[in-house]
Amino acid sequence: MVAASADEGTNSLMEGPDEHGRFGRFGGRFVPETLVPACAELEDAFRSAWADDGFRAEFHSLLTDYAGRPSPLTDCVNLSTELGFRILLKREDLNHTGSHKINNVLGQTLLAKRMGKSRIVAETGAGQHGVATATAAAYFGQECVVYMGEVDIARQALNVYRMQLLGAEVRPARSGSRTLKDAVNEAMREWVASVESSYYCLGSVMGPHPYPWMVREFHRTIGREAFDQSTALLDGGLPDVVVACIGGGSNAVGIFSGFVDTDVELVGVEPAGGAAVARGVPGVVHGSMSFLMQDEFGQVQEAQSVSAGLDYPGVGPEHAFLADVGRARYEAVTDSEVLDAFELLSRTEGIIPALEPAHGLAWMIRARDELAGKTVLLNLSGRGDKDVAQVQAIRQGDPAALDTVDFSRTNGDAV
Ligand SMILES: *Cc1c(COP(=O)(O)O)cnc(C)c1O
């Protein structure tokens, strides 16, 4: 494996990836022969759409009029006093459907419409990306098929019903461990089989080129807004540190993109049980080269976290690149730190966060000495309504509530 050289430093969030979809030595397109034409067609379509002012204007008005953007920036006076540094929150929790995910699915379903594809195929783990995709497909009047592992379907009755309510068909993935990675495989198979009419809507900055690039572009609005809002609030200044949680890495790439060309420190926070960047090794998963958790035999390891939304063994290739060149730093926090952070933000600011961004806050609490006197911007990627029952059960001492297999994956999603 060659190390990323200095001249690959230009291959950054603003410039990259290269024409092969590589971020330094990561990314690319590692797919079976049958998927190559579909990826190439998608790349061409996205390239032309993204160069078209009309497409961008339509996307922008969807973000404004349907998703409710721009999301506000909240200056947290109480929490700042408590922790000894200034905390700003980028409020992605206030978007329609309750997280940043809506940016990506609106971009992709709009692209599908432009490509003349009337049928959307998606994968989902615990259901959040499936629900977001079904929402956008309903808006556009598109047929929507969501693959979901049989095991996840059994655990996620409410999200399955939500998707059905939104008009989507939920299809069980019955192979392998019957969870997220099997749902991805089934969705990709279905995409190839019906590529004339179908569009594959992937849920994070992962998968084969052009997905990591395209999904980043659809989330770039988070970073652009946050940059403008910070400079307005801080009289032309910037925060010292920008923090985001990492599942596949899309909300983090979105907010990092606004600050990557500045001196602001970038910190990605993973669950200790799924620390792909902090403790993973290079490898190929779901079509691109990145860091992932492997066992001693090179098999992809199951991730474990109280937050199902971060329960993914790999991470998007751009994060592997940013870690490799030292532009971003990656930290891991434990479930117990996350639960404390979840409660602290609720109590001090009246904002119940999703368990995923509570990871970011958990690291900030741990690093409070290092952060003393600084200004820290946290991407609050989603709201916590979906996690309240789980946290209550954990706090009431239900051991199953912490068990990732039986209960903790009932809310949230990996991709
Ligand atoms: C899905 C989800 C995540 C994890 O996905 P990324 O691609 O890493 O952003 C994080 N936060 C929330 C609220 C989510 O729903």
mmCIF file of all heavy atoms in Angstrom, residues 8 10-12 15-29 43 47 209-210 213 216 318 321:
data_model
loop_
_atom_site.group_PDB
_atom_site.id
_atom_site.type_symbol
_atom_site.label_atom_id
_atom_site.label_comp_id
_atom_site.label_asym_id
_atom_site.label_seq_id
_atom_site.Cartn_x
_atom_site.Cartn_y
_atom_site.Cartn_z
ATOM 1 N N GLU A 8 -0.856 14.595 -3.353
ATOM 2 C CA GLU A 8 -2.246 14.156 -3.247
ATOM 3 C C GLU A 8 -3.020 15.010 -2.244
ATOM 4 O O GLU A 8 -4.218 14.846 -2.070
ATOM 5 C CB GLU A 8 -2.317 12.677 -2.846
ATOM 6 C CG GLU A 8 -2.022 11.767 -4.021
ATOM 7 C CD GLU A 8 -1.811 10.327 -3.584
ATOM 8 O OE1 GLU A 8 -1.411 10.087 -2.446
ATOM 9 O OE2 GLU A 8 -2.070 9.451 -4.416
ATOM 10 N N THR A 10 -3.805 17.948 -2.629
ATOM 11 C CA THR A 10 -4.787 18.766 -3.335
ATOM 12 C C THR A 10 -6.072 17.983 -3.564
ATOM 13 O O THR A 10 -7.100 18.539 -3.880
ATOM 14 C CB THR A 10 -4.259 19.197 -4.719
ATOM 15 O OG1 THR A 10 -3.861 18.014 -5.401
ATOM 16 C CG2 THR A 10 -3.087 20.148 -4.598
ATOM 17 N N ASN A 11 -5.964 16.679 -3.396
ATOM 18 C CA ASN A 11 -7.109 15.807 -3.606
ATOM 19 C C ASN A 11 -7.985 15.862 -2.356
ATOM 20 O O ASN A 11 -8.234 14.886 -1.688
ATOM 21 C CB ASN A 11 -6.576 14.389 -3.847
ATOM 22 C CG ASN A 11 -7.658 13.462 -4.336
ATOM 23 O OD1 ASN A 11 -8.794 13.871 -4.522
ATOM 24 N ND2 ASN A 11 -7.306 12.203 -4.514
ATOM 25 N N SER A 12 -8.456 17.060 -2.046
ATOM 26 C CA SER A 12 -9.101 17.306 -0.761
ATOM 27 C C SER A 12 -10.611 17.307 -0.915
ATOM 28 O O SER A 12 -11.156 17.016 -1.961
ATOM 29 C CB SER A 12 -8.653 18.659 -0.221
ATOM 30 O OG SER A 12 -9.315 19.682 -0.938
ATOM 31 N N GLU A 15 -11.437 19.581 -3.775
ATOM 32 C CA GLU A 15 -10.977 19.257 -5.128
ATOM 33 C C GLU A 15 -11.330 17.836 -5.558
ATOM 34 O O GLU A 15 -11.628 17.595 -6.711
ATOM 35 C CB GLU A 15 -9.442 19.398 -5.200
ATOM 36 C CG GLU A 15 -8.902 20.720 -4.708
ATOM 37 C CD GLU A 15 -9.300 21.867 -5.618
ATOM 38 O OE1 GLU A 15 -9.613 21.601 -6.787
ATOM 39 O OE2 GLU A 15 -9.288 23.008 -5.140
ATOM 40 N N GLY A 16 -11.218 16.895 -4.634
ATOM 41 C CA GLY A 16 -11.311 15.486 -4.987
ATOM 42 C C GLY A 16 -12.716 15.017 -5.206
ATOM 43 O O GLY A 16 -13.639 15.773 -5.006
ATOM 44 N N PRO A 17 -12.887 13.785 -5.630
ATOM 45 C CA PRO A 17 -11.849 12.813 -5.930
ATOM 46 C C PRO A 17 -11.285 13.012 -7.349
ATOM 47 O O PRO A 17 -11.760 13.864 -8.079
ATOM 48 C CB PRO A 17 -12.623 11.491 -5.857
ATOM 49 C CG PRO A 17 -14.002 11.859 -6.324
ATOM 50 C CD PRO A 17 -14.242 13.253 -5.806
ATOM 51 N N ASP A 18 -10.270 12.189 -7.713
ATOM 52 C CA ASP A 18 -9.747 12.258 -9.081
ATOM 53 C C ASP A 18 -10.714 11.562 -10.046
ATOM 54 O O ASP A 18 -11.784 11.109 -9.645
ATOM 55 C CB ASP A 18 -8.329 11.659 -9.155
ATOM 56 C CG ASP A 18 -8.304 10.149 -8.922
ATOM 57 O OD1 ASP A 18 -9.385 9.481 -8.980
ATOM 58 O OD2 ASP A 18 -7.212 9.617 -8.671
ATOM 59 N N GLU A 19 -10.336 11.445 -11.299
ATOM 60 C CA GLU A 19 -11.279 10.910 -12.294
ATOM 61 C C GLU A 19 -11.622 9.437 -12.067
ATOM 62 O O GLU A 19 -12.586 8.930 -12.628
ATOM 63 C CB GLU A 19 -10.778 11.157 -13.730
ATOM 64 C CG GLU A 19 -9.599 10.318 -14.149
ATOM 65 C CD GLU A 19 -8.249 10.981 -13.822
ATOM 66 O OE1 GLU A 19 -8.152 11.791 -12.880
ATOM 67 O OE2 GLU A 19 -7.282 10.662 -14.529
ATOM 68 N N HIS A 20 -10.820 8.769 -11.235
ATOM 69 C CA HIS A 20 -11.143 7.375 -10.909
ATOM 70 C C HIS A 20 -11.913 7.267 -9.590
ATOM 71 O O HIS A 20 -12.122 6.179 -9.072
ATOM 72 C CB HIS A 20 -9.862 6.543 -10.818
ATOM 73 C CG HIS A 20 -9.034 6.601 -12.065
ATOM 74 N ND1 HIS A 20 -9.456 6.056 -13.262
ATOM 75 C CD2 HIS A 20 -7.834 7.183 -12.318
ATOM 76 C CE1 HIS A 20 -8.543 6.287 -14.188
ATOM 77 N NE2 HIS A 20 -7.554 6.976 -13.652
ATOM 78 N N GLY A 21 -12.279 8.423 -9.053
ATOM 79 C CA GLY A 21 -13.026 8.408 -7.802
ATOM 80 C C GLY A 21 -12.149 8.141 -6.602
ATOM 81 O O GLY A 21 -12.634 7.709 -5.560
ATOM 82 N N ARG A 22 -10.837 8.415 -6.741
ATOM 83 C CA ARG A 22 -9.938 8.137 -5.622
ATOM 84 C C ARG A 22 -9.637 9.380 -4.804
ATOM 85 O O ARG A 22 -9.381 10.454 -5.349
ATOM 86 C CB ARG A 22 -8.633 7.512 -6.131
ATOM 87 C CG ARG A 22 -8.806 6.058 -6.533
ATOM 88 C CD ARG A 22 -7.468 5.427 -6.853
ATOM 89 N NE ARG A 22 -6.783 6.176 -7.906
ATOM 90 C CZ ARG A 22 -6.358 5.640 -9.054
ATOM 91 N NH1 ARG A 22 -6.522 4.355 -9.282
ATOM 92 N NH2 ARG A 22 -5.743 6.384 -9.939
ATOM 93 N N PHE A 23 -9.668 9.192 -3.495
ATOM 94 C CA PHE A 23 -9.222 10.209 -2.540
ATOM 95 C C PHE A 23 -7.882 9.699 -2.041
ATOM 96 O O PHE A 23 -7.838 8.825 -1.172
ATOM 97 C CB PHE A 23 -10.192 10.330 -1.373
ATOM 98 C CG PHE A 23 -11.620 10.652 -1.779
ATOM 99 C CD1 PHE A 23 -12.522 9.638 -2.056
ATOM 100 C CD2 PHE A 23 -12.048 11.968 -1.877
ATOM 101 C CE1 PHE A 23 -13.827 9.930 -2.423
ATOM 102 C CE2 PHE A 23 -13.353 12.269 -2.242
ATOM 103 C CZ PHE A 23 -14.244 11.251 -2.517
ATOM 104 N N GLY A 24 -6.771 10.202 -2.609
ATOM 105 C CA GLY A 24 -5.484 9.599 -2.282
ATOM 106 C C GLY A 24 -5.520 8.131 -2.686
ATOM 107 O O GLY A 24 -5.919 7.787 -3.788
ATOM 108 N N ARG A 25 -5.165 7.233 -1.766
ATOM 109 C CA ARG A 25 -5.171 5.808 -2.106
ATOM 110 C C ARG A 25 -6.518 5.153 -1.809
ATOM 111 O O ARG A 25 -6.676 3.939 -1.930
ATOM 112 C CB ARG A 25 -4.053 5.100 -1.335
ATOM 113 C CG ARG A 25 -4.185 5.184 0.171
ATOM 114 C CD ARG A 25 -2.993 4.510 0.854
ATOM 115 N NE ARG A 25 -2.946 4.831 2.271
ATOM 116 C CZ ARG A 25 -2.807 3.913 3.226
ATOM 117 N NH1 ARG A 25 -2.719 2.638 2.929
ATOM 118 N NH2 ARG A 25 -2.751 4.282 4.484
ATOM 119 N N PHE A 26 -7.504 5.942 -1.380
ATOM 120 C CA PHE A 26 -8.805 5.377 -1.004
ATOM 121 C C PHE A 26 -9.884 5.674 -2.048
ATOM 122 O O PHE A 26 -9.683 6.495 -2.927
ATOM 123 C CB PHE A 26 -9.229 5.929 0.360
ATOM 124 C CG PHE A 26 -8.235 5.604 1.440
ATOM 125 C CD1 PHE A 26 -7.339 6.560 1.892
ATOM 126 C CD2 PHE A 26 -8.174 4.322 1.972
ATOM 127 C CE1 PHE A 26 -6.404 6.250 2.871
ATOM 128 C CE2 PHE A 26 -7.248 3.999 2.941
ATOM 129 C CZ PHE A 26 -6.358 4.965 3.401
ATOM 130 N N GLY A 27 -11.025 5.013 -1.895
ATOM 131 C CA GLY A 27 -12.143 5.238 -2.805
ATOM 132 C C GLY A 27 -12.088 4.299 -3.984
ATOM 133 O O GLY A 27 -11.804 3.111 -3.839
ATOM 134 N N GLY A 28 -12.345 4.823 -5.188
ATOM 135 C CA GLY A 28 -12.316 4.001 -6.388
ATOM 136 C C GLY A 28 -13.635 3.302 -6.655
ATOM 137 O O GLY A 28 -14.686 3.681 -6.121
ATOM 138 N N ARG A 29 -13.555 2.287 -7.533
ATOM 139 C CA ARG A 29 -14.772 1.576 -7.943
ATOM 140 C C ARG A 29 -14.457 0.093 -8.024
ATOM 141 O O ARG A 29 -14.048 -0.402 -9.073
ATOM 142 C CB ARG A 29 -15.239 2.133 -9.290
ATOM 143 C CG ARG A 29 -16.550 1.580 -9.789
ATOM 144 C CD ARG A 29 -16.918 2.170 -11.135
ATOM 145 N NE ARG A 29 -17.387 3.548 -11.029
ATOM 146 C CZ ARG A 29 -17.431 4.404 -12.047
ATOM 147 N NH1 ARG A 29 -17.046 4.036 -13.245
ATOM 148 N NH2 ARG A 29 -17.870 5.643 -11.868
ATOM 149 N N GLU A 43 -22.352 8.306 -13.007
ATOM 150 C CA GLU A 43 -21.320 9.338 -12.921
ATOM 151 C C GLU A 43 -21.544 10.420 -13.986
ATOM 152 O O GLU A 43 -21.504 11.618 -13.689
ATOM 153 C CB GLU A 43 -19.931 8.707 -13.089
ATOM 154 C CG GLU A 43 -18.817 9.723 -12.946
ATOM 155 C CD GLU A 43 -17.451 9.164 -13.333
ATOM 156 O OE1 GLU A 43 -17.297 7.928 -13.399
ATOM 157 O OE2 GLU A 43 -16.548 9.976 -13.587
ATOM 158 N N ARG A 47 -22.441 14.288 -13.163
ATOM 159 C CA ARG A 47 -21.532 15.322 -13.643
ATOM 160 C C ARG A 47 -22.299 16.397 -14.422
ATOM 161 O O ARG A 47 -22.106 17.592 -14.213
ATOM 162 C CB ARG A 47 -20.481 14.685 -14.557
ATOM 163 C CG ARG A 47 -19.075 15.103 -14.278
ATOM 164 C CD ARG A 47 -18.092 14.306 -15.123
ATOM 165 N NE ARG A 47 -17.419 13.264 -14.356
ATOM 166 C CZ ARG A 47 -16.527 13.498 -13.402
ATOM 167 N NH1 ARG A 47 -16.181 14.726 -13.099
ATOM 168 N NH2 ARG A 47 -15.969 12.499 -12.747
ATOM 169 N N HIS A 209 -17.407 4.760 -6.646
ATOM 170 C CA HIS A 209 -17.488 6.049 -7.338
ATOM 171 C C HIS A 209 -18.653 6.002 -8.316
ATOM 172 O O HIS A 209 -18.790 5.014 -9.023
ATOM 173 C CB HIS A 209 -16.157 6.257 -8.085
ATOM 174 C CG HIS A 209 -16.057 7.530 -8.834
ATOM 175 N ND1 HIS A 209 -16.277 8.765 -8.259
ATOM 176 C CD2 HIS A 209 -15.761 7.780 -10.147
ATOM 177 C CE1 HIS A 209 -16.111 9.712 -9.181
ATOM 178 N NE2 HIS A 209 -15.796 9.141 -10.316
ATOM 179 N N PRO A 210 -19.559 6.991 -8.389
ATOM 180 C CA PRO A 210 -19.420 8.353 -7.843
ATOM 181 C C PRO A 210 -20.101 8.592 -6.486
ATOM 182 O O PRO A 210 -20.190 9.751 -6.082
ATOM 183 C CB PRO A 210 -20.140 9.177 -8.913
ATOM 184 C CG PRO A 210 -21.305 8.319 -9.307
ATOM 185 C CD PRO A 210 -20.745 6.901 -9.286
ATOM 186 N N TRP A 213 -18.474 10.890 -3.641
ATOM 187 C CA TRP A 213 -18.361 12.263 -4.141
ATOM 188 C C TRP A 213 -19.745 12.919 -4.239
ATOM 189 O O TRP A 213 -19.977 14.025 -3.729
ATOM 190 C CB TRP A 213 -17.670 12.222 -5.509
ATOM 191 C CG TRP A 213 -17.705 13.482 -6.292
ATOM 192 C CD1 TRP A 213 -17.397 14.744 -5.844
ATOM 193 C CD2 TRP A 213 -18.063 13.621 -7.672
ATOM 194 N NE1 TRP A 213 -17.540 15.655 -6.868
ATOM 195 C CE2 TRP A 213 -17.944 14.992 -7.992
ATOM 196 C CE3 TRP A 213 -18.455 12.731 -8.670
ATOM 197 C CZ2 TRP A 213 -18.213 15.483 -9.277
ATOM 198 C CZ3 TRP A 213 -18.723 13.215 -9.946
ATOM 199 C CH2 TRP A 213 -18.598 14.568 -10.243
ATOM 200 N N ARG A 216 -21.426 13.591 -0.896
ATOM 201 C CA ARG A 216 -20.779 14.749 -0.267
ATOM 202 C C ARG A 216 -21.310 16.050 -0.862
ATOM 203 O O ARG A 216 -21.621 17.010 -0.138
ATOM 204 C CB ARG A 216 -19.261 14.704 -0.474
ATOM 205 C CG ARG A 216 -18.576 15.962 0.079
ATOM 206 C CD ARG A 216 -17.147 16.094 -0.398
ATOM 207 N NE ARG A 216 -17.076 16.531 -1.788
ATOM 208 C CZ ARG A 216 -16.002 16.385 -2.563
ATOM 209 N NH1 ARG A 216 -14.918 15.780 -2.093
ATOM 210 N NH2 ARG A 216 -16.012 16.819 -3.798
ATOM 211 N N GLU A 318 -13.345 9.116 1.917
ATOM 212 C CA GLU A 318 -12.784 10.444 2.094
ATOM 213 C C GLU A 318 -12.294 10.643 3.533
ATOM 214 O O GLU A 318 -11.308 11.359 3.766
ATOM 215 C CB GLU A 318 -13.814 11.513 1.720
ATOM 216 C CG GLU A 318 -13.168 12.880 1.612
ATOM 217 C CD GLU A 318 -13.926 13.844 0.709
ATOM 218 O OE1 GLU A 318 -15.095 13.575 0.390
ATOM 219 O OE2 GLU A 318 -13.334 14.857 0.323
ATOM 220 N N PHE A 321 -8.960 9.085 3.791
ATOM 221 C CA PHE A 321 -7.985 10.005 3.208
ATOM 222 C C PHE A 321 -7.633 11.147 4.167
ATOM 223 O O PHE A 321 -6.459 11.457 4.391
ATOM 224 C CB PHE A 321 -8.534 10.565 1.884
ATOM 225 C CG PHE A 321 -7.710 11.683 1.323
ATOM 226 C CD1 PHE A 321 -6.491 11.431 0.717
ATOM 227 C CD2 PHE A 321 -8.158 13.005 1.402
ATOM 228 C CE1 PHE A 321 -5.717 12.472 0.207
ATOM 229 C CE2 PHE A 321 -7.396 14.043 0.899
ATOM 230 C CZ PHE A 321 -6.171 13.782 0.302
#
